[in-house]
Amino acid sequence: MQLPDSFYGSRKLVDIVENQTTYELKDSAMHIFETHAKAELVQLQFGSPVLASMLQGKKIMHLSNKQSFDFLPGESLILPSNELMSIDFPDSSKNTPTRCLALEIGEDRIKKVVQFMNEQMEKADGNEWRLMDYNFHFTNDPGLYKIIQRIVYLYAEKHPSKDFFVSNMMQELIVRILQANTRKTYNDHSKELSSTHRFAYIIEYIKQNLPQSLTVKELSEKAYMSESNFYKVFKQELGQSPIDFINQERIAKATDLLKDEECNLTDVFLSCGFKNRSYFNRMFKRINGTSPSQYQQRLKEEGLIN
């Protein structure tokens, strides 16, 4: 993610570790942190819920109720207010700084969006939307990536209406985060949730039948919903269409299979449920940013092929 030119014009480099540039609006604030030297166990805390999103470099995060993990570009993390983080910067240097965005969002704003979602966006089993699971670590999907990029630009822009612009974008950001949270919860726990959550059951069915032909009509029948309502509610609840979800799961399986040197590309795309090579290549590149053959070649060069 690229920072706007206006950021570089307004920042002041005071500290080499977690140098902070802050932009504040009515009920939110954006902080961009830069670290220009290796460091360990640097502590950071915010008084409001935070979306942290990596822009450049690598952090190792240590949180109170979660195992330490790498935090990399293209990934985000939701943190509750007053969460004390300890952070390592293993690769930071003067020429290759680590950069991270921290977006503070007022709890009242989050509650208002959740209320709006419960009024306007039905869930499949009548359950209500609730506040997001904190310490939720995820990879940004294209929609989230574009919103975060836009919000960074708006904060750094000198525009008299930027409070209004950011407010509108913030609502969409919260909605998409809650959808991503629901999608990940169902995906990670589909087997145990399948008896009580309709879409968890559908996701488990998809996982077990990836090599087969899967249609929205078939899935809607298994969910005991009309085809049109199933499509609408699935997208509302999980933030993506059933077909996009199926393709994402198929590409995730293909990505894993490509780690085995014995698997050729034809075997891979057929075993993942794709009917032709060109569509498989297109979906793989859209999701992973590279072609299947280039991905496998990179694995070989890095010694990661089994």
Side-chain angles (χ1 to χ4, degrees):
M1 184 182 296
Q2 297 298 316
L3 293 169
D5 292 340
S6 52
F7 162 76
Y8 294 100
S10 63
R11 71 172 177 168
K12 293 181 180 178
L13 283 175
V14 178
D15 303 306
I16 62 170
V17 175
E18 290 294 68
N19 188 77
Q20 181 176 341
T21 304
T22 294
Y23 306 85
E24 293 184 321
L25 293 176
K26 183 178 178 181
D27 59 357
S28 63
M30 184 182 77
H31 314 279
I32 294 175
F33 293 93
E34 296 180 280
T35 295
H36 295 258
K38 293 182 181 181
E40 292 183 349
L41 300 179
V42 177
Q43 294 193 328
L44 190 62
Q45 190 175 41
F46 296 95
S48 302
V50 166
L51 165 72
S53 191
M54 281 297 292
L55 306 176
Q56 179 178 310
K58 172 183 174 180
K59 291 183 178 183
I60 301 174
M61 304 293 293
H62 310 278
L63 305 178
S64 58
N65 62 346
K66 192 178 179 74
Q67 285 188 335
S68 300
F69 60 93
D70 291 348
F71 195 23
L72 302 170
E75 297 179 349
S76 291
L77 174 67
I78 305 296
L79 295 164
S81 56
N82 301 312
E83 172 80 20
L84 182 62
M85 298 171 269
S86 292
I87 309 168
D88 299 339
F89 300 86
D91 304 322
S92 300
S93 69
K94 181 179 179 180
N95 295 325
T96 57
T98 298
R99 293 192 175 105
C100 182
L101 159 75
L103 187 61
E104 287 192 82
I105 309 170
E107 290 203 49
D108 286 344
R109 163 57 66 90
I110 298 172
K111 289 177 181 176
K112 286 179 182 177
V113 175
V114 172
Q115 181 180 351
F116 164 81
M117 294 174 73
N118 281 319
E119 292 171 353
Q120 303 293 330
M121 301 171 63
E122 63 175 313
K123 296 187 84 173
D125 296 301
N127 298 316
E128 289 199 335
W129 293 97
R130 57 184 178 82
L131 294 180
M132 63 197 76
D133 291 337
Y134 287 114
N135 294 329
F136 170 41
H137 176 213
F138 60 98
T139 300
N140 299 327
D141 61 35
L144 271 170
Y145 176 87
K146 289 176 183 177
I147 292 171
I148 294 170
Q149 181 85 55
R150 178 65 177 164
I151 286 175
V152 170
Y153 172 81
L154 289 172
Y155 263 104
E157 185 186 26
K158 292 181 180 179
H159 194 291
S161 301
K162 74 175 180 179
D163 208 328
F164 174 75
F165 296 155
V166 169
S167 179
N168 288 336
M169 295 298 295
M170 201 67 73
Q171 175 167 304
E172 184 178 353
L173 176 69
I174 295 168
V175 169
R176 286 185 181 270
I177 289 172
L178 286 167
Q179 290 172 331
N181 192 189
T182 299
R183 186 168 68 243
K184 190 171 190 301
T185 299
Y186 284 170
N187 209 351
D188 291 351
H189 306 286
S190 58
K191 188 169 290 186
E192 53 263 49
L193 293 175
S194 61
S195 62
T196 55
H197 292 73
R198 193 179 320 211
F199 284 158
Y201 168 77
I202 294 300
I203 286 171
E204 181 63 17
Y205 180 82
I206 290 170
K207 287 181 178 181
Q208 297 301 324
N209 293 275
L210 283 177
Q212 312 305 320
S213 176
L214 294 166
T215 66
V216 174
K217 184 176 186 298
E218 176 192 3
L219 297 177
S220 65
E221 289 172 353
K222 292 194 172 292
Y224 296 99
M225 299 171 72
S226 71
E227 190 171 345
S228 60
N229 194 46
F230 172 79
Y231 183 93
K232 183 187 82 170
V233 178
F234 190 101
K235 193 165 186 177
Q236 281 185 173
E237 192 163 339
L238 278 73
Q240 61 184 174
S241 72
I243 297 304
D244 285 343
F245 180 84
I246 291 167
N247 282 333
Q248 182 177 290
E249 288 300 298
R250 284 174 168 161
I251 294 302
K253 181 178 179 181
T255 302
D256 191 54
L257 289 174
L258 288 171
K259 296 174 185 175
D260 185 349
E261 194 172 17
E262 299 301 317
C263 284
N264 63 54
L265 291 177
T266 301
D267 292 338
V268 168
F269 83 75
L270 289 175
S271 64
C272 293
F274 290 99
K275 302 305 179 188
N276 66 75
R277 174 76 174 269
S278 62
Y279 185 65
F280 167 63
N281 287 348
R282 192 160 67 250
M283 289 297 105
F284 194 98
K285 189 166 186 177
R286 178 185 297 176
I287 292 172
N288 288 331
T290 186
S291 71
S293 56
Q294 289 170 334
Y295 176 80
Q296 193 169 49
Q297 181 60 36
R298 191 178 73 205
L299 291 179
K300 289 178 181 178
E301 291 170 358
E302 294 174 357
L304 298 176
I305 290 284
N306 295 328

